[in-house]
Amino acid sequence: MKPGYTDLLFEMSHTLCQAVLEREPDLAQRVHELDGEVNKILRRLGFFVVSLVLGELSNKVTLEAKEKGLTIHRAKRIKYSSLFGVVEILSPYLRNKNTSSGARPVKEQLGIEHGDISIAVQRAMSDFGAEESFGQAARRFQEHYGWTMNRAKARRDVEKTAVLAQEYVEKRLDATSGDYLQPVATRPGIEQILVELDGSHIRTGKKVVIEKVELTPKRRLPKYQRQIDWREVRVGLARPLQELKNRTYVAQMGKYPEVVRHLVSAAIVQGMSVRTQVIAVADGGNGLREALQQQFPRMTFILDRPHLKQHLYAGAEAIGLTGSARHSWVSNKLQLIDLGLVNLAIWQLGNYQGQGIKRITNLSQYLQRFSDAVSYEKFISLGLPIGSGEVESAHRYIPQKRLKIPGATWHPDTINPMLALRIIRAND
């Protein structure tokens, strides 16, 4: 809206001030309640102003339609949710009997249909719904704005906004490819960039018809049951190597190539060019390193040391070691690996015979596969990270804080849109 309401607001403020002083004689005894009471008045004022303005606009576009030879055929009142409450607006249907043409000016000119919500309501509800359960989001909305939106409508509106958020994130990331292809002379980019990628599992559920078809007692409809599954959500980040707080996040439930494509776009946003050296820290998930190498040509891969340590402890447990013996065995292998003697550690594991040989053989093959990605002393000396703790922390406050609340089960189709809402907030 245009500026220039200061004089009017000043005049209205004086009028309200006098009214409050006249109608609240005991205000001096409850002065700490003043701002709350004024807030209620301003909410009601906002409601009346919005109602009157929308009513006038409805009348205006209806008159414009009448001037074109249309007459009101039927009129109904529709409900529109504003930040101050649900407003009813007259939305007539007009037609010309001679030409059989018709118009709905409130819908066509103002863009308002029954059940619509304002941008401000959409933003507020999506902010609450991106952080808390839909029921809690509806309660928070009521606390902040003084009117009730039921849980079902809150869910529909948040999920609708989430789909738009996903489209926005996709378009924004896709738009970066042109920047990457610019000549180095035009866009030199940064020297080094860090990327990390890690996954966690989210509980999902789909309704499926029970194999032995049963019908509901009253409506005789097929009975459904919820099929529960756990799906992996992958979170990645990109940042300049020396800038700890300047991160761009991505998150998606999808296969590695698609998630890495988003991570490449995030790296370009952070300044990656064709000459940038990429440092990638991740675990040894099947296909992860290969997907990163395919889309980050100038990449040094570092196997996340805490994940390797977990594998070593699992190996020690498999051969029957406990307590200090288990810890000593793991420390010995880690020391060899840290010092760059990974081939010696592989040889020791490969020649092991005894209890848990299958697990130790797998561990040997795992180390062989990542033998060039575990020179931790060397990486530390170059100032490179050896753990993916940053992205693991991001899991806690991007997907898990919302998608893993107690009792939550998500339809698979809703996960990526909700992740997009979370990502937009994390990247603000």
Side-chain angles (χ1 to χ4, degrees):
M1 297 183 75
K2 296 179 181 179
Y5 294 93
T6 305
D7 54 342
L8 182 59
L9 291 172
F10 188 74
E11 182 181 338
M12 290 172 61
S13 298
H14 273 280
T15 302
L16 278 175
C17 172
Q18 292 303 315
V20 169
L21 291 172
E22 290 171 7
R23 300 182 186 191
E24 305 290 339
D26 61 340
L27 194 59
Q29 284 72 48
R30 49 190 187 92
V31 68
H32 295 297
E33 300 174 13
L34 174 62
D35 53 352
E37 295 301 318
V38 170
N39 185 45
K40 292 177 185 177
I41 295 170
L42 294 179
R43 282 179 182 170
R44 295 301 296 163
L45 176 63
F47 177 82
F48 290 135
V49 171
V50 170
S51 297
L52 290 170
V53 170
L54 289 177
E56 289 296 322
L57 290 173
S58 172
N59 290 336
K60 180 185 176 189
V61 295
T62 301
L63 286 173
E64 289 172 354
K66 286 181 175 179
E67 289 170 1
K68 296 176 182 178
L70 300 171
T71 57
I72 294 177
H73 179 64
R74 60 179 178 270
K76 64 177 182 179
R77 303 192 75 82
I78 61 173
K79 292 184 178 181
Y80 176 75
S81 297
S82 77
L83 207 57
F84 302 104
V86 179
V87 176
E88 289 194 357
I89 310 166
L90 192 64
S91 179
Y93 170 69
L94 298 92
R95 64 190 300 266
N96 186 316
K97 293 181 180 179
N98 298 324
T99 62
S100 298
S101 60
R104 294 180 174 85
V106 171
K107 175 184 175 181
E108 294 159 5
Q109 304 298 117
L110 302 182
I112 297 177
E113 295 184 70
H114 180 69
D116 279 355
I117 64 174
S118 71
I119 292 173
V121 172
Q122 184 182 42
R123 175 61 190 268
M125 187 53 71
S126 63
D127 282 349
F128 292 137
E131 291 292 328
E132 301 176 276
S133 70
F134 297 118
Q136 185 62 25
R139 287 190 287 273
R140 286 279 303 279
F141 184 88
Q142 195 277 332
E143 290 171 6
H144 280 74
Y145 299 105
W147 62 277
T148 302
M149 180 182 289
N150 67 54
R151 177 189 177 278
K153 181 167 177 56
R155 177 177 180 172
R156 288 194 300 270
D157 291 338
V158 172
E159 289 181 347
K160 183 178 177 181
T161 305
V163 171
L164 298 175
Q166 184 182 14
E167 293 172 0
Y168 167 78
V169 169
E170 291 274 358
K171 287 178 182 177
R172 186 165 178 247
L173 291 175
D174 288 344
T176 62
S177 58
D179 295 336
Y180 181 71
L181 296 174
Q182 289 182 28
V184 173
T186 305
R187 185 177 178 273
I190 59 177
E191 294 289 336
Q192 293 179 305
I193 196 163
L194 172 69
V195 297
E196 295 183 9
L197 191 62
D198 192 38
S200 65
H201 287 82
I202 301 298
R203 177 185 164 108
T204 66
K206 281 185 176 180
K207 286 184 177 179
V208 295
V209 179
I210 299 173
E211 275 189 31
K212 184 180 177 182
V213 178
E214 296 180 45
L215 302 179
T216 57
K218 288 188 177 179
R219 300 179 65 190
R220 309 302 294 168
L221 298 173
K223 282 188 177 181
Y224 288 86
Q225 66 181 8
R226 181 177 285 176
Q227 186 178 51
I228 301 298
D229 193 12
W230 289 87
R231 305 282 291 274
E232 187 170 22
V233 166
R234 287 154 179 153
V235 177
L237 67 83
R239 67 166 173 85
L241 185 62
Q242 305 302 328
E243 297 181 27
L244 294 175
K245 295 184 178 180
N246 185 18
R247 305 183 184 101
T248 297
Y249 294 100
V250 297
Q252 192 177 43
M253 185 183 74
K255 296 183 177 180
Y256 282 133
E258 183 62 20
V259 180
V260 173
R261 183 179 70 84
H262 281 206
L263 189 57
V264 169
S265 298
I268 296 170
V269 169
Q270 286 289 341
M272 184 180 75
S273 70
V274 293
R275 74 180 189 93
T276 302
Q277 180 193 9
V278 178
I279 311 300
V281 185
D283 63 29
N286 289 331
L288 173 53
R289 179 179 182 173
E290 292 75 13
L292 288 166
Q293 286 176 324
Q294 188 173 8
Q295 299 190 52
F296 287 106
R298 302 192 72 236
M299 185 191 79
T300 297
F301 183 81
I302 299 174
L303 181 65
D304 177 61
R305 190 175 183 273
H307 277 87
L308 173 58
K309 193 173 181 179
Q310 288 176 9
H311 281 289
L312 289 170
Y313 269 106
E317 186 176 344
I319 64 179
L321 296 177
T322 59
S324 60
R326 179 170 173 248
H327 179 72
S328 178
W329 187 89
V330 171
S331 296
N332 174 263
K333 298 296 181 285
L334 271 179
Q335 187 175 28
L336 292 175
I337 293 166
D338 287 343
L339 294 173
L341 301 174
V342 64
N343 289 328
L344 178 55
I346 292 170
W347 180 84
Q348 290 177 352
L349 294 170
N351 285 278
Y352 172 79
Q353 298 291 325
Q355 178 183 338
I357 186 170
K358 184 176 179 180
R359 186 60 182 259
I360 298 302
T361 300
N362 289 340
L363 182 55
S364 174
Q365 293 170 351
Y366 179 82
L367 267 178
Q368 183 69 53
R369 183 173 153 221
F370 293 105
S371 59
D372 62 338
V374 293
S375 300
Y376 297 120
E377 291 285 348
K378 176 186 173 183
F379 294 144
I380 291 171
S381 69
L382 294 172
L384 305 179
I386 59 172
S388 56
E390 285 183 61
V391 77
E392 289 175 19
S393 295
H395 264 286
R396 289 193 288 272
Y397 62 83
I398 295 178
Q400 294 180 12
K401 184 179 177 183
R402 177 64 182 93
L403 275 68
K404 290 188 81 169
I405 58 176
T409 303
W410 296 85
H411 190 284
D413 293 345
T414 64
I415 288 179
N416 282 337
M418 286 301 296
L419 286 173
L421 270 184
R422 302 287 299 165
I423 284 295
I424 289 172
R425 294 172 69 84
N427 287 335
D428 271 351

